[in-house]
Amino acid sequence: MRILLFSACLLAAGPAFAADDASACAEGITMIRDALALNPPEAAVPKLKKALRVAEREQKEGEFDECLDAVADARKVLGR
């Protein structure tokens, strides 16, 4: 019985988690664009462009967890 209650709670919370991920994804894409606009070191540019391309594609597909992975990759490149 507890398992059913727990499962129901997770299902109810699912849309809230998805909204948070969608928002974090959009913020991450903005962060990558801003970093590219600031002329980062030449070695970082291709990695940031790839992270941006992947994040934008995953955002369009609704795969926000994969978008956040690409944003995390960009943060590593930037040392954040």
Side-chain angles (χ1 to χ4, degrees):
M1 191 65 159
R2 289 182 184 167
I3 292 174
L4 290 175
L5 181 60
F6 180 72
S7 297
C9 289
L10 284 178
L11 287 174
F17 290 135
D20 289 343
D21 285 352
S23 176
C25 174
E27 290 172 9
I29 289 171
T30 301
M31 182 269 307
I32 298 170
R33 286 183 182 147
D34 291 345
L36 283 167
L38 294 174
N39 298 320
E42 202 169 313
V45 172
K47 294 175 184 177
L48 290 173
K49 285 184 178 181
K50 179 181 179 187
L52 179 61
R53 185 177 65 249
V54 170
E56 289 174 334
R57 181 185 68 227
E58 298 303 339
Q59 182 186 41
K60 288 177 188 170
E61 292 176 359
E63 297 292 335
F64 301 114
D65 57 332
E66 293 178 27
C67 173
L68 294 176
D69 290 342
V71 170
D73 291 344
R75 285 199 168 111
K76 287 179 192 174
V77 170
L78 295 170
R80 296 182 186 175

